[in-house]
Amino acid sequence: MSTIALVDVNNFYVSAERVFNPKLEGVPVVVLSNNDGCVVARSQEIRALGVTMGEPWFKLRDLVKEHGIVALSSNYALYADISNRVMTILSDFSPRQEVYSIDECFLDLEGIPDLTQTGQTIRQRIRKWVGVPVCVGIAPTKTLAKLANHVAKKRSQYQGVCNFKEMPVEDIDQILASIEVGEVWGIGRKLNAHLQRGGIQTVKQLRDFDILRLRRRFGVVMERTVRELRGEPCLEMAEVSPPKQQIISSRTFGRYVTDLHELEGAVSTYMSRAAEKLRRQASVAATAYVCIRTNPHKDGEPQYSPGMMIGLPHPTNDTRELVQAVLTCLHRIYRDGFRYQKAGVMLSDITPEGISQGELFASQPVTPKASKLMSTLDQINRKMGEGVLKLASDGVEQEWKMKRGNKSPAYTTRWDELPIVR
DNA sequence: TCTGGGGTCCTAGGACCC
DNA sequence: TCTGGGGTCCTAGGACCC
């Protein structure tokens, strides 16, 4: 029998902001997506107002005035740093940790006595050492641990730690019968609707339903989910994250772009970022992709959203080659007379660097000289700040860059933005 | 005026092979 | 008009996650 804990920071982005700005405590706070477009994190007070995830910010104007909502632009440097601190502390509790996302991780707690107490220790330590609140769910499988975590968050009697491992079966049944099936990890909007229509409303109903019928109707993913709900582990702990099979970099512009030259700058910049990510995981890509699009929400305006894939002469991670390839594509798909809102690039057919296949046809692999140049570029940008050194094609003005109207300082990652205590 | 960004896995269907 | 039975590989699209 395995024992897995899911530890998750409550309202992560909002909690991270509150660490350095205690005035935000008790105040309704939202964190907005890039370009301050829509809501990506909500404090408890915001949830209570009925604001949903992903809601466009401009639709909340009235609510803002009425309730004194504080809206912050997203500050990824801060969140990444807080996340690292949390994950490092959590790694002390188990030799096996899977960092699942920026704000949550699985821990293998097999063999540890006093699980609930351990959960409380985790909570207290993270609160004290980092300053953010976490909840802990403990169960024999990942899916159940997620569910236990949900219970820990929603029901105050558990004081932030819900442990299915040391709970009478009847109690677990009762809990599962009181939770809607859509809360289960892996049951999204569509599946939820499907199940509801079929008369499966609660988690318990799903758990106890005929597994063969579910498999036939919904496939193997559903089967795994149901087995996990029954306490049979089907999902392994993934301690080391495998290299990415595709790398995307895309952004909505801060304003509409019509000019090809400006699009070139954006696409070149995005590809530089993607290529850097590619090099960071020591990979090369054989295929590149670029797409641009107008604003699909604008009825009555001419719409155009082309994309184009290109195979590279040989797998590479050289920014210059990759940028050149996507710029060629961009020229092919660009049409005059549209107001473009967004551009993106993607790298795929990714393989580890140094394993060159199809050498016979490779015109020229990444040369040592190019490799040296790229790693120097990365080192300088890592040390001096993103985009300090870039290709000329990225452009100098970059007027298309996104808006982030109300970003908090990079408190922990820039010397000139350290918090000041008076 | 204003609607994010980045991933994974699975399946179905088509092309092609013997 | 009738028209086998596999297999593999690739792609597009759907569903999910945070």
Side-chain angles (χ1 to χ4, degrees):
Chain A
M1 253 331 224
S2 66
T3 305
I4 292 171
L6 178 74
V7 185
D8 171 314
V9 182
N10 306 353
N11 318 322
F12 179 56
Y13 292 177
V14 172
S15 298
E17 296 283 354
R18 281 175 170 166
V19 170
F20 291 99
N21 191 353
K23 278 184 197 148
L24 298 175
E25 217 65 62
V27 173
V29 182
V30 291
V31 175
L32 303 174
S33 63
N34 287 330
N35 277 309
D36 298 339
C38 56
V39 174
V40 293
R42 306 162 294 160
S43 72
Q44 207 48 55
E45 299 79 11
I46 291 287
R47 289 169 203 249
L49 292 174
V51 176
T52 57
M53 200 70 166
E55 201 154 327
W57 172 234
F58 70 90
K59 286 188 177 170
L60 299 177
R61 283 294 134 87
D62 293 341
L63 224 51
V64 174
K65 277 184 225 144
E66 210 177 311
H67 298 280
I69 294 176
V70 176
L72 299 167
S73 307
S74 32
N75 183 350
Y76 294 113
L78 175 67
Y79 310 150
D81 188 60
I82 298 286
S83 175
N84 285 334
R85 296 179 187 201
V86 170
M87 297 308 169
T88 304
I89 294 168
L90 290 176
S91 71
D92 286 342
F93 286 88
S94 168
R96 282 165 41 88
Q97 175 188 37
E98 174 184 346
V99 178
Y100 177 68
S101 74
I102 192 160
D103 72 328
E104 62 189 290
C105 80
F106 292 102
L107 296 172
D108 182 351
L109 295 188
E110 188 56 29
I112 291 180
D114 298 326
L115 289 169
T116 307
Q117 182 49 51
T118 302
Q120 287 299 347
T121 307
I122 288 174
R123 266 169 67 77
Q124 286 150 16
R125 195 174 293 178
I126 301 289
R127 184 82 211 194
K128 191 163 180 194
W129 292 7
V130 184
V132 296
V134 303
C135 282
V136 184
I138 302 168
T141 66
K142 284 176 149 185
T143 304
L144 282 172
K146 282 279 248 187
L147 216 49
N149 182 279
H150 169 80
V151 174
K153 252 190 232 155
K154 297 284 171 190
R155 307 188 186 186
S156 53
Q157 71 261 35
Y158 292 100
Q159 295 171 22
V161 180
C162 176
N163 177 7
F164 283 167
K165 287 287 283 195
E166 291 159 359
M167 193 184 282
V169 179
E170 313 84 69
D171 292 8
I172 296 179
D173 279 6
Q174 202 204 328
I175 290 174
L176 298 194
S178 69
I179 302 176
E180 210 186 84
V181 69
E183 292 295 340
V184 175
W185 191 35
I187 308 292
R189 253 212 339 267
K190 297 275 170 134
L191 282 173
N192 184 30
H194 249 112
L195 291 169
Q196 297 278 349
R197 259 181 276 134
I200 301 177
Q201 269 121 35
T202 70
V203 182
K204 181 167 181 294
Q205 284 174 320
L206 178 65
R207 185 196 65 183
D208 298 338
F209 203 82
D210 180 44
I211 209 161
L212 268 171
R213 278 176 66 195
L214 285 170
R215 189 209 162 105
R216 272 199 295 270
R217 181 74 188 80
F218 299 104
V220 297
V221 180
M222 175 68 86
E223 182 185 359
R224 278 204 287 265
T225 297
V226 174
R227 288 188 187 280
E228 285 250 320
L229 286 177
R230 294 177 181 184
E232 181 186 330
C234 300
L235 303 170
E236 292 292 308
M237 290 272 289
E239 292 163 76
V240 286
S241 48
K244 301 265 180 275
Q245 298 172 40
Q246 77 186 36
I247 292 171
I248 297 171
S249 173
S250 71
R251 287 278 182 285
T252 303
F253 305 132
R255 60 155 167 79
Y256 289 111
V257 170
T258 53
D259 180 42
L260 175 59
H261 187 67
E262 280 197 289
L263 283 178
E264 287 174 348
V267 164
S268 173
T269 304
Y270 299 168
M271 183 48 92
S272 300
R273 284 194 63 232
E276 196 194 327
K277 289 189 210 168
L278 185 66
R279 292 191 292 271
R280 194 171 308 173
Q281 68 168 34
S283 299
V284 289
T287 303
Y289 174 80
V290 60
C291 59
I292 49 179
R293 72 159 168 78
T294 50
N295 183 353
H297 300 286
K298 273 256 192 274
D299 296 330
E301 204 171 295
Q303 296 288 329
Y304 183 49
S305 56
M308 187 181 239
M309 196 97 92
I310 184 172
L312 299 156
H314 58 94
T316 184
N317 59 20
D318 185 326
T319 300
R320 297 166 298 175
E321 292 178 75
L322 293 166
V323 164
Q324 197 186 15
V326 285
L327 287 182
T328 307
C329 292
L330 176 66
H331 282 251
R332 303 260 285 274
I333 60 177
Y334 173 80
R335 297 274 177 279
D336 212 357
F338 292 96
R339 299 202 306 155
Y340 296 99
Q341 186 205 28
K342 182 178 179 176
V345 302
M346 183 173 84
L347 294 169
S348 54
D349 279 330
I350 292 174
T351 48
E353 203 172 21
I355 300 175
S356 57
Q357 18 182 301
E359 194 65 32
L360 189 58
F361 302 105
S363 45
Q364 36 181 291
V366 185
T367 62
K369 198 172 156 195
S371 174
K372 188 106 195 274
L373 177 63
M374 287 300 126
S375 74
T376 306
L377 176 78
D378 291 342
Q379 276 169 35
I380 290 174
N381 281 334
R382 218 165 293 162
K383 191 164 176 191
M384 309 299 288
E386 191 183 326
V388 164
L389 206 56
K390 59 191 182 185
L391 297 195
S393 55
D394 288 11
V396 179
E397 301 296 337
Q398 303 198 321
E399 285 174 21
W400 42 266
K401 277 212 158 172
M402 65 182 178
K403 293 179 292 206
R404 286 204 280 186
N406 196 17
K407 191 174 82 66
S408 51
Y411 294 111
T412 60
T413 50
R414 291 189 66 98
W415 288 111
D416 50 346
E417 296 183 17
L418 284 179
I420 295 166
V421 180
R422 294 194 176 84

